[in-house]
Amino acid sequence: MAKKLSISIAVLLAAALMASPLAADGRGFGDRMPKYIFFFLGDGMSSSQIQATEAYLTTINGGSAMVAKDLLKPENRLNMSKLHITGIQTTYDAFALMTDSASSATAFAGGLKTKSGTIGMDETATNNYKNIAQLAHEAGRYTAVMTSVSLDHATPAAYYASVPNRGYMNSIATQLAESGYEFFGGGGLVCPDAACRAGDTSNDVWALLAAKGYAVLNSKADIEDLKNNPMDKVVCINEILDGSQAMPYDIDRPGENLSLAEMLEVAIANYTGQFKNRGQMRRDRGAFFMIEGGKIDWACHANDAMATIGDMLDFDDAVGVALEFYKKHPLETLIVVTGDHETGGMTIGHATTAYKAYYEKLLGQTNSYEHFEANQWADHKAFHAGSVCPNVADPDNLATSADMLSLIETHFGLKWDDFNDYQKEKLEDAYDKSLCGANNNSNDENKLLYGGYNPIIVTLTHILNEKASIGWTSYSHTGVPVPVFAHGREAWRFAGFYDNTDIAKRLAEAIGQMLPALK
Amino acid sequence: MAKKLSISIAVLLAAALMASPLAADGRGFGDRMPKYIFFFLGDGMSSSQIQATEAYLTTINGGSAMVAKDLLKPENRLNMSKLHITGIQTTYDAFALMTDSASSATAFAGGLKTKSGTIGMDETATNNYKNIAQLAHEAGRYTAVMTSVSLDHATPAAYYASVPNRGYMNSIATQLAESGYEFFGGGGLVCPDAACRAGDTSNDVWALLAAKGYAVLNSKADIEDLKNNPMDKVVCINEILDGSQAMPYDIDRPGENLSLAEMLEVAIANYTGQFKNRGQMRRDRGAFFMIEGGKIDWACHANDAMATIGDMLDFDDAVGVALEFYKKHPLETLIVVTGDHETGGMTIGHATTAYKAYYEKLLGQTNSYEHFEANQWADHKAFHAGSVCPNVADPDNLATSADMLSLIETHFGLKWDDFNDYQKEKLEDAYDKSLCGANNNSNDENKLLYGGYNPIIVTLTHILNEKASIGWTSYSHTGVPVPVFAHGREAWRFAGFYDNTDIAKRLAEAIGQMLPALK
C-alpha cells in the first residue's frame, strides 16, 4: 500500500510539473519543452524501405526473412521501429500528389505548402518563411544540419534558406554561410563560387564562410578532432564525394569518410564539448539537430535495393546515436524520424516470387549501381570501344560475352543459367543499349525499362531485387503516406494521421513557438 | 475562475472513474471498458489502397488529385483517415514475410502466429485457440460477423472457427452454426452440404443452422425488416452472389443486394432493437461487430484499381456507420480499422507518369474486370469462337478488331490512338492469348504479365491504372507494414508500431481479458 501511495504522489507531482508555465524570459526551458531535438529525415523513405531493410537485417543476422520469430527479434528491427510513438503523414505539395524534396522540406521545416522546386517560400515564390531550425537558432540553441548529400541540396537547405528555385545553389550556400548555425556536416557544396544557373547569385562562399567565422574541415582526422577540440562554427565536408558533391553510397563508403552516424556523433560531441571545455562560459540553451539520409532517395530513383538498404542502415545508425543520447537525457530529449515521400514505388513482393522472399540473394551485390557503373562497367565499355559494336539484332551478345557474365556473377551474384528466358531477353536488350546505344525495343519500352539509368545495370538491379521479392514501379517519387516515429519529451504530439506541414507546426509547438511564420 | 475550477473537478472525477475496478461479477462493464466494439478489416488494404481511394474521391468530388488543398478537404478523406489514433503493424505469419489471410486473421482475432492456411490453431495445427469474438460472446455480448466474401472465408472464419486448413469450409460453416453468435451477414457458404475437400466434414449446415435456432434470410426486404423486427440469431445472405459465394464487387453491385455498410446498419438495428422491442427483457451486455471488406483483396490480386476503390468506398462507408453510432455513444464505443496485409504491390506512382497523376482517367472504367469478363468478354469470345483463331504472329489482330476496340473504349474509356507503341504491343499479345490461348511471349513473360488472370483484361487494367499513375508489382500479398486506425474508448491502446498479434491482445485487454488463450 505504501508503494502504491508513493507512486500516486509521483504521478500527481509529474502532472503538476507538466502544467507549470514556460519560463517567461525565454532563456530557460519550460518544463514541458524538450531541450534537445533530433529531427531525422529519410529522403525517399516509407514503409517499404523500412521493411526491406529489416528483412535484410534478419538475413545477415543469420535468420530467415520468412520466419516471423526471426523478423521480430529486436536485433533485426531498426532503431526507428522501436520508438514509442507512431504517426502517418500525407506528403502532397501544393500542386502535386507526388511532392518533390524542396516542397516537402518546406512543409516539414516551415509548416507551409509550396510548389515543387521551391524552398522556404510559399507557392507564389515571393514570401520568405521561417523554419524550425531558424526558430531554434534564434532561441539560442546549438543548431546543426547534416546530410549525406551536398549541404546545399533541397532538404537541408529548407532548414536555413529561402529560394524560389532549388537550383539556385550558390544562393543557398550563401544563406548557409549567413545562417550562424554552429554545425554543418556531410557532403559539399555544388556551386560555391559561381552561379548554378541564370537567376542565381555568384558569391565566393568559401570566402564568405571564413568571413563569418566558419572553419571548413575536409579530413576525417580534423573532423573527429572536434570531439576533443570543439569549434564555435564549423562546416565538415567528407573527403571523398561523388560528382554531385554527395557522400558515396554507404555500401561503397571509403575509409577516408565519416558515416552519417559518425558525423552526428561529432556534431553532438562538438556541442557538449563547448560547455565542458569552457566551464559554462557560453550559456547552454539546448540543441536542434537535423539529419538527412539523402541518398536513400537516389538509390530508390535508380531502383537499387542494396544501395537503398545500405544508406537506410547508416541513417538508422544515426537514429541509434540519438537514442544513446536520449538514454542519458530521457526527460529532455525529443527524437522524430520520418521520410519526405516514398521513391521508386518500392514493394515488398513481386509477381515472380509471389508469397516467398529470398533476401539472401541480395548478398551477392557488392557495391551500388553507381560504383559498378563508374568502375567495372566503365572498364568493360572502354575495352570494347575499339571493336565493332555488336549487331543489336543478335539475341546472344551478352550470352557470348564471357567477361561481362563474369562481372555480373562477381558483382551481383547472378549466374547466366539462373535467369529465365524473359530475363535473358531483357538483359540482352539492355546490354546492347548500354554498349551501343540501341536495341530492338520501342522508345516507349526503353523509357519504361530503364528510366534514364544505365540499361544493363538497372536491368540487373531489377532482376536481382525481383529474385529477392522486391518490386519497383517508378523512377520518381510516389504519393503514398509516410510513417512518422517519435520518442521522448513531447513525442505524443506526433501520434495520429496528419499532413506533412503539421510536423513543423508540432515541432514548433513543442518548443513554444508557432509556424508557419513570415521572415 | 469558477469555470476553470469546475473543469478541474470534472477532470478529477473522470480520472477517478477511470481508475475504478471492473465489476467483479463480470456482468456489468468496468468503467474503462468499451461496451461497443467495431473491428474493421480491409483485406489486402494498406496505405496505397487508402491513398488511391482518397485521390479518386478528390477527383469525383470535382477537385484535382494534383492539388494539396483539394486532397486535404475533409470530404475527400476516408472516414478511417479521420480516426484519432494511428498505429502500424507488421503482418508476417509464422513462416512467411507475406502472410495469407488465414494466418493473419488468426493473429488479429486470436493473438497468435500460425502458418499460412491455418485458422484459430497454432503452427502445429493441433491446438485450438480462442478468438476475441468468442470472448465477447462468452461475456454475453451481441456478436456479429460480416463480410463481403463468403461467410466461411478465412478472415471471418477466424472469429468463430478453428481448422487446420482454410479449405475445410464445411467444417468452418458447421462451427459458424454452432457459434451461437447473433448475426452473420454478407456473402453465402461455399460448402454448406458436402465436404469441400478430403479431410473436411460433410454436414448439412442449413439443417444445422435451423436446429440451432438461426433464421437464414436471402432477400433485401427480409434482411432490412430486421430493423423493425429483430431476431435472436440470424444469417443474412445477399441475394446475388458470385461463383465464390461472395458479394459482387461494389462497382457492380446489383439493386437486389445490401452493401457492406447497409448490412452493418441492419446488424446494429437488429442489436438495439432487441432491447427496445422487448423492454430490456434480455440483458444488454454490449456488442462486438467484426466487419471485413474482403474483396478489396481480390480486386488487388487482379490488379484492378477501380474495383479496389469501389470496395474500399463501401468498406469505408461501413466505418462511417460505426462513427455515427460512436457519436451517439462516444464514451462507450471503440472503433478499430486495419488491413491484414497489402495485396498486389500497389503503388501511388508509375514510371510512365513520373510526378503527375491523372485519376480522372479511372472514371472511364464502368465495371470490374470480373464483370467485364463474365459479360462483354464472354460475348465477344463466343462470337469469335466459330471463326478461325487469328494468327498470333500478326501484330494487328486487335488493331483491326473494331468491335473489341469499341468495347475497350466503352468499358475502360481507352481509345486505340491513346496507347503508345509498347502498350499496343502488349495489348496485341494479350488479345491473342485471351482469344486463342497463345501469343509470341515466352511462358515466363506470360506469367509475369498476366499472373493467371484473363490476359487482355489484366493488360487493360494495368495500362489504365498506369495512365492514372497507379503501379502494381504482384498478383499476391506483399509484406509491407499496415496502418491501424482507432477511435473512442481505449483507442490509445492501438498507438505505436507493433505486431498483428498485438491487435487481438490489445482488444482483449480493452475488455479485461487475455489472448492468446487455449480453447
Side-chain angles (χ1 to χ4, degrees):
Chain A
M1 190 63 203
K3 194 178 173 190
K4 272 191 188 167
L5 192 65
S6 66
I7 288 170
S8 296
I9 288 169
V11 168
L12 285 170
L13 278 172
L17 280 169
M18 286 176 75
S20 74
L22 304 179
D25 67 358
R27 286 186 187 168
F29 286 88
D31 292 298
R32 294 172 58 233
M33 202 179 273
K35 184 172 181 182
Y36 313 108
I37 297 177
F38 294 86
F39 182 75
F40 289 91
L41 196 285
D43 204 309
M45 179 187 85
S46 190
S47 299
S48 288
Q49 283 75 12
I50 294 166
Q51 182 57 72
T53 306
E54 294 194 341
Y56 172 84
L57 262 184
T58 303
T59 306
I60 57 167
N61 285 339
S64 163
M66 288 294 285
V67 174
K69 276 180 190 159
D70 291 345
L71 286 159
L72 292 169
K73 277 185 184 162
E75 62 265 36
N76 299 333
R77 305 299 299 272
L78 294 176
N79 289 307
M80 66 182 86
S81 301
K82 296 172 185 164
L83 305 194
H84 284 165
I85 302 290
T86 60
I88 304 173
Q89 50 140 329
T90 49
T91 66
Y92 337 119
D93 76 19
F95 305 112
L97 176 57
M98 299 78 170
T99 187
D100 96 323
S101 293
S103 43
S104 60
T106 301
F108 48 72
L112 77 150
K113 290 285 185 203
T114 192
K115 60 182 179 181
S116 292
T118 305
I119 295 172
M121 304 181 82
D122 59 24
E123 63 196 50
T124 67
T126 50
N127 299 306
N128 293 346
Y129 279 79
K130 288 192 180 184
N131 63 70
I132 184 72
Q134 258 176 313
L135 291 182
H137 174 68
E138 285 171 10
R141 287 176 187 250
Y142 175 92
T143 305
V145 175
M146 276 147 281
T147 179
S148 51
V149 296
S150 66
L151 294 171
D152 49 13
H153 212 258
T155 307
Y159 287 84
Y160 60 79
S162 294
V163 283
N165 187 320
R166 62 185 284 177
Y168 294 168
M169 291 170 108
N170 184 272
S171 172
I172 292 172
T174 301
Q175 294 178 63
L176 182 156
E178 290 168 343
S179 71
Y181 296 179
E182 283 76 6
F183 190 95
F184 291 93
L189 299 174
V190 175
C191 296
D193 44 22
C196 252
R197 60 173 67 190
D200 195 8
T201 56
S202 53
N203 300 316
D204 180 344
V205 177
W206 300 127
L208 187 63
L209 279 166
K212 294 286 181 182
Y214 280 97
V216 177
L217 308 181
N218 282 100
S219 80
K220 189 172 184 173
D222 286 350
I223 295 170
E224 290 193 328
D225 188 53
L226 290 169
K227 290 182 177 182
N228 299 313
N229 298 297
M231 291 179 168
D232 279 345
K233 288 160 83 179
V234 61
V235 178
C236 302
I237 299 177
N238 262 315
E239 188 175 334
I240 311 288
L241 302 178
D242 69 16
S244 306
Q245 294 291 312
M247 288 160 54
Y249 285 107
D250 195 69
I251 190 178
D252 308 322
R253 174 154 41 101
E256 293 89 340
N257 279 9
L258 284 83
S259 68
L260 197 60
E262 288 167 346
M263 193 64 83
L264 177 56
E265 282 175 342
V266 170
I268 292 172
N270 188 60
Y271 163 54
T272 55
Q274 290 191 352
F275 308 104
K276 196 167 61 188
N277 293 4
R278 299 177 198 186
Q280 298 290 341
M281 278 190 49
R282 180 177 159 169
R283 194 184 174 97
D284 178 9
R285 293 180 180 167
F288 178 86
F289 299 90
M290 190 275 163
I291 307 99
E292 188 206 17
K295 285 186 78 164
I296 299 165
D297 175 65
W298 298 12
C300 290
H301 274 288
N303 295 180
D304 181 343
M306 273 300 283
T308 302
I309 288 168
D311 270 49
M312 280 290 298
L313 289 171
D314 183 21
F315 177 68
D316 192 66
D317 281 348
V319 176
V321 170
L323 266 174
E324 284 305 309
F325 185 91
Y326 162 85
K327 284 177 193 162
K328 291 181 201 142
H329 309 279
L331 297 178
E332 298 172 297
T333 305
L334 167 64
I335 302 172
V336 179
V337 184
T338 190
D340 51 354
H341 50 72
E342 197 276 343
T343 302
M346 188 191 214
T347 68
I348 307 302
H350 192 260
T352 55
T353 46
Y355 291 90
K356 302 280 187 192
Y358 306 92
Y359 275 69
E360 63 279 8
K361 291 199 182 292
L362 294 177
L363 307 184
Q365 184 176 340
T366 55
N367 285 100
S368 73
Y369 73 97
E370 187 180 67
H371 189 275
F372 183 82
E373 183 169 19
N375 293 277
Q376 289 78 22
W377 174 256
D379 291 347
H380 181 78
K381 191 167 179 182
F383 181 78
H384 285 270
S387 61
V388 176
C389 200
N391 171 12
V392 298
D394 178 356
D396 291 326
N397 289 329
L398 179 57
T400 56
S401 171
D403 55 344
M404 187 61 198
L405 294 184
S406 167
L407 287 178
I408 291 173
E409 187 171 344
T410 306
H411 295 275
F412 294 91
L414 296 169
K415 293 183 191 175
W416 188 245
D417 290 345
D418 296 338
F419 298 119
N420 66 33
D421 288 346
Y422 182 62
Q423 290 163 340
K424 284 177 180 169
E425 190 191 326
K426 288 283 165 256
L427 286 165
E428 289 285 359
D429 288 342
Y431 183 66
D432 289 347
K433 188 82 166 74
S434 286
L435 208 54
C436 311
N439 64 7
N440 289 322
N441 298 339
S442 68
N443 279 340
D444 293 319
E445 185 167 7
N446 283 333
K447 225 163 106 180
L448 178 71
L449 291 177
Y450 317 131
Y453 288 89
N454 184 310
I456 184 64
I457 303 176
V458 74
T459 304
L460 284 166
T461 61
H462 278 161
I463 292 175
L464 177 65
N465 295 345
E466 290 166 9
K467 279 175 170 281
S469 80
I470 293 170
W472 302 92
T473 67
S474 178
Y475 304 97
S476 305
H477 305 166
T478 76
V480 73
V482 170
V484 183
F485 307 100
H487 203 82
R489 188 119 217 168
E490 299 295 297
W492 61 270
R493 293 180 186 273
F494 297 89
F497 193 4
Y498 43 84
D499 188 50
N500 59 1
T501 51
D502 292 320
I503 291 174
K505 292 174 189 169
R506 291 173 189 209
L507 271 174
E509 282 165 14
I511 58 169
Q513 304 276 352
M514 287 277 281
L515 282 176
L518 271 169
K519 244 187 217 175
Chain B
M1 191 62 204
K3 195 178 173 191
K4 273 194 186 166
L5 192 67
S6 66
I7 289 170
S8 297
I9 289 170
V11 169
L12 286 170
L13 278 172
L17 280 168
M18 286 175 75
S20 73
L22 303 180
D25 66 0
R27 286 185 188 170
F29 286 89
D31 293 298
R32 294 174 57 233
M33 200 179 275
K35 184 172 180 183
Y36 314 108
I37 298 176
F38 293 85
F39 182 75
F40 288 90
L41 194 285
D43 203 310
M45 178 187 85
S46 190
S47 299
S48 288
Q49 283 74 13
I50 294 166
Q51 183 58 70
T53 306
E54 293 194 342
Y56 172 83
L57 261 184
T58 303
T59 306
I60 57 167
N61 286 339
S64 163
M66 288 294 286
V67 174
K69 277 180 191 161
D70 290 347
L71 286 158
L72 292 169
K73 278 186 184 163
E75 63 265 36
N76 299 333
R77 305 300 299 273
L78 293 176
N79 289 306
M80 66 182 86
S81 300
K82 296 171 185 166
L83 305 193
H84 284 164
I85 303 291
T86 61
I88 304 173
Q89 49 140 330
T90 50
T91 66
Y92 337 118
D93 76 19
F95 305 112
L97 177 57
M98 298 81 168
T99 187
D100 95 324
S101 293
S103 43
S104 61
T106 301
F108 49 72
L112 76 149
K113 289 284 185 205
T114 191
K115 60 182 179 180
S116 292
T118 306
I119 295 171
M121 305 181 82
D122 59 23
E123 64 195 50
T124 67
T126 49
N127 299 306
N128 293 347
Y129 280 78
K130 288 191 180 185
N131 62 70
I132 184 70
Q134 257 175 314
L135 291 183
H137 174 68
E138 286 172 8
R141 286 175 187 251
Y142 174 91
T143 305
V145 175
M146 276 146 282
T147 178
S148 52
V149 297
S150 66
L151 294 171
D152 48 12
H153 212 260
T155 308
Y159 288 83
Y160 60 78
S162 295
V163 284
N165 187 320
R166 61 185 284 176
Y168 295 168
M169 292 170 107
N170 183 271
S171 172
I172 291 171
T174 300
Q175 293 178 63
L176 181 157
E178 289 168 344
S179 70
Y181 297 178
E182 283 77 4
F183 190 95
F184 290 93
L189 299 173
V190 174
C191 296
D193 44 23
C196 253
R197 58 173 65 188
D200 194 8
T201 55
S202 53
N203 299 315
D204 179 343
V205 177
W206 300 127
L208 187 61
L209 279 166
K212 294 287 182 181
Y214 280 96
V216 178
L217 308 182
N218 282 100
S219 79
K220 188 171 186 175
D222 286 350
I223 294 170
E224 290 194 327
D225 189 53
L226 289 169
K227 290 183 178 180
N228 299 313
N229 299 297
M231 291 179 169
D232 279 346
K233 289 161 80 179
V234 61
V235 178
C236 302
I237 299 177
N238 262 317
E239 190 175 333
I240 311 288
L241 301 178
D242 69 17
S244 306
Q245 294 290 311
M247 288 159 54
Y249 285 107
D250 195 68
I251 191 179
D252 309 321
R253 175 153 40 100
E256 294 89 337
N257 278 10
L258 284 82
S259 68
L260 197 60
E262 288 167 343
M263 193 64 84
L264 177 56
E265 283 175 341
V266 170
I268 293 172
N270 187 61
Y271 163 54
T272 55
Q274 289 190 353
F275 309 104
K276 194 167 62 185
N277 293 4
R278 299 174 199 188
Q280 297 290 343
M281 277 188 50
R282 180 178 159 171
R283 193 182 174 95
D284 178 10
R285 293 180 180 168
F288 178 87
F289 299 89
M290 190 274 163
I291 306 99
E292 188 206 17
K295 286 185 79 164
I296 300 165
D297 174 65
W298 298 13
C300 289
H301 275 287
N303 294 179
D304 180 344
M306 272 300 283
T308 302
I309 289 168
D311 270 49
M312 280 291 296
L313 288 172
D314 183 22
F315 177 67
D316 191 67
D317 281 347
V319 176
V321 170
L323 266 175
E324 284 305 310
F325 185 91
Y326 162 85
K327 284 177 193 162
K328 291 181 201 142
H329 309 278
L331 297 177
E332 298 172 298
T333 305
L334 169 65
I335 302 172
V336 179
V337 184
T338 189
D340 51 354
H341 49 72
E342 197 277 343
T343 302
M346 187 191 215
T347 67
I348 307 302
H350 192 260
T352 55
T353 46
Y355 292 90
K356 301 280 186 190
Y358 306 91
Y359 275 69
E360 62 279 7
K361 292 198 181 291
L362 294 177
L363 307 184
Q365 184 176 338
T366 55
N367 285 101
S368 74
Y369 72 97
E370 187 180 67
H371 188 275
F372 183 82
E373 183 169 20
N375 293 276
Q376 289 78 21
W377 174 255
D379 290 349
H380 181 79
K381 189 165 180 182
F383 180 78
H384 286 269
S387 61
V388 176
C389 198
N391 171 12
V392 299
D394 178 355
D396 291 326
N397 289 327
L398 178 57
T400 56
S401 171
D403 55 344
M404 188 60 199
L405 293 184
S406 167
L407 286 178
I408 291 174
E409 186 171 345
T410 306
H411 294 275
F412 294 91
L414 296 169
K415 292 182 191 174
W416 188 246
D417 289 346
D418 296 337
F419 299 118
N420 65 33
D421 287 348
Y422 182 61
Q423 290 163 339
K424 283 177 180 168
E425 189 192 325
K426 288 284 165 255
L427 285 164
E428 289 285 359
D429 288 343
Y431 184 65
D432 289 347
K433 189 82 165 74
S434 286
L435 207 55
C436 311
N439 63 8
N440 289 324
N441 298 338
S442 68
N443 281 339
D444 293 319
E445 184 168 8
N446 283 331
K447 226 165 105 180
L448 177 72
L449 292 176
Y450 317 131
Y453 288 89
N454 184 310
I456 184 65
I457 303 176
V458 75
T459 304
L460 284 166
T461 59
H462 278 161
I463 293 175
L464 177 65
N465 295 344
E466 290 166 8
K467 279 175 170 282
S469 81
I470 294 170
W472 301 93
T473 67
S474 178
Y475 304 98
S476 305
H477 305 167
T478 76
V480 73
V482 170
V484 182
F485 307 100
H487 204 82
R489 188 119 218 167
E490 300 296 295
W492 61 270
R493 293 180 186 274
F494 296 89
F497 193 4
Y498 43 85
D499 189 50
N500 59 0
T501 51
D502 292 320
I503 292 175
K505 291 173 189 169
R506 291 172 189 209
L507 271 175
E509 282 165 13
I511 59 169
Q513 304 276 353
M514 286 277 282
L515 281 175
L518 271 168
K519 248 186 214 178

